Amino acid sequence: MRTHTALAFCCLSALALAAHQSSETPARFAPAFDMQGLDTQSGMQAQMASMSPGEHHELLGYFEGEWKVSMEMSSPMMPQKLTSKGEQSNEMILGGRFLQATGSIDMPGMGPSDSMMLMGFDTNANRYDLTMISTMNNATYRATGMPNQDGSAIIFYGPMDEPMLDFRQRTVRYTYRVIDENSYVVEIDDLAIGDPANERVLTLTHTRKDG
């Protein structure tokens, strides 16, 4: 009799413990938000806002058009600056959401270099995104940025590899600076150089063909 009573008590205790554990969801499996209390109307409005182009996308429209490009390249390893010229065509695509640029420039001693660039504004992340590819290498360069204080430029930061020096993931700054309605400049600074006087490695001056 005592054996049966002890066995029954153990079974009841185990069942009670299991029931208690099953009623407590571990914190790591807890829902991220309460679906029951979700405001579906405001949530849908936020979703629609994130899908639609806004004022930041309209500003990218400034860069649309056909451009003449003047390049100036410099480096602490180069005895003198190199210059060249090229062309670039910019257009807004996908319903005014992204700026697409295609261009070609003659690289001294290397021949023509073709490039493509995509710039957009991520409404959810509240930032500008930049993606670049070219025939100079097989890499895809990406950077993120925000406008400066006076709104005259968008400043991006992103990683870049340098095979010549065997450097990986060095930080590069890309500044898209508006000069006037018919010209803008792209300044590329290699921050790994560590000397502000010599960080500027590439300057691309864009002038409208019909300006």
Side-chain angles (χ1 to χ4, degrees), residues 141-209:
Y141 295 122
R142 299 179 178 88
T144 59
M146 291 294 292
N148 61 357
Q149 290 295 321
D150 63 9
S152 63
I154 306 174
I155 303 175
F156 297 89
Y157 291 89
M160 180 180 289
D161 297 334
E162 179 51 79
M164 184 187 304
L165 301 176
D166 196 27
F167 285 162
R168 300 292 181 266
Q169 299 294 291
R170 59 199 294 155
T171 301
V172 175
R173 178 173 59 221
Y174 308 86
T175 302
Y176 281 70
R177 191 181 308 281
V178 174
I179 305 303
D180 54 41
E181 62 181 9
N182 292 314
S183 60
Y184 71 95
V185 175
V186 179
E187 302 161 344
I188 301 179
D189 300 323
D190 184 353
L191 303 185
I193 292 175
D195 178 7
N198 293 301
E199 289 175 348
R200 181 69 41 79
V201 294
L202 193 63
T203 302
L204 299 166
T205 302
H206 297 69
T207 305
R208 287 192 192 275
K209 289 184 177 181

Side-chain angles (χ1 to χ4, degrees), residues 9 24 31 43 81-82 110 117 122 137 153 155 158 170 183 199:
F9 178 76
E24 292 184 357
K81 293 181 179 181
L82 299 178
M110 302 179 68
M117 180 273 288
D122 187 328
N137 49 47
I155 303 175
R170 59 199 294 155
S183 60
E199 289 175 348

Side-chain angles (χ1 to χ4, degrees), residues 90-101:
N90 300 346
E91 65 172 327
M92 296 297 293
I93 62 171
L94 300 180
R97 289 171 172 82
F98 298 93
L99 176 73
Q100 177 180 275

Side-chain angles (χ1 to χ4, degrees), residues 75-114:
S75 168
M77 298 180 296
M78 296 167 52
Q80 61 183 12
K81 293 181 179 181
L82 299 178
T83 60
S84 187
K85 294 186 180 299
E87 296 182 341
Q88 185 167 302
S89 178
N90 300 346
E91 65 172 327
M92 296 297 293
I93 62 171
L94 300 180
R97 289 171 172 82
F98 298 93
L99 176 73
Q100 177 180 275
T102 57
S104 182
I105 197 164
D106 187 31
M107 300 298 291
M110 302 179 68
S113 172
D114 298 326

Side-chain angles (χ1 to χ4, degrees), residues 38-53 122-125:
L38 183 64
D39 185 344
T40 55
Q41 183 174 357
S42 61
M44 184 59 69
Q45 291 175 346
Q47 179 67 28
M48 294 301 295
S50 70
M51 295 169 57
S52 305
D122 187 328
T123 307
N124 289 325

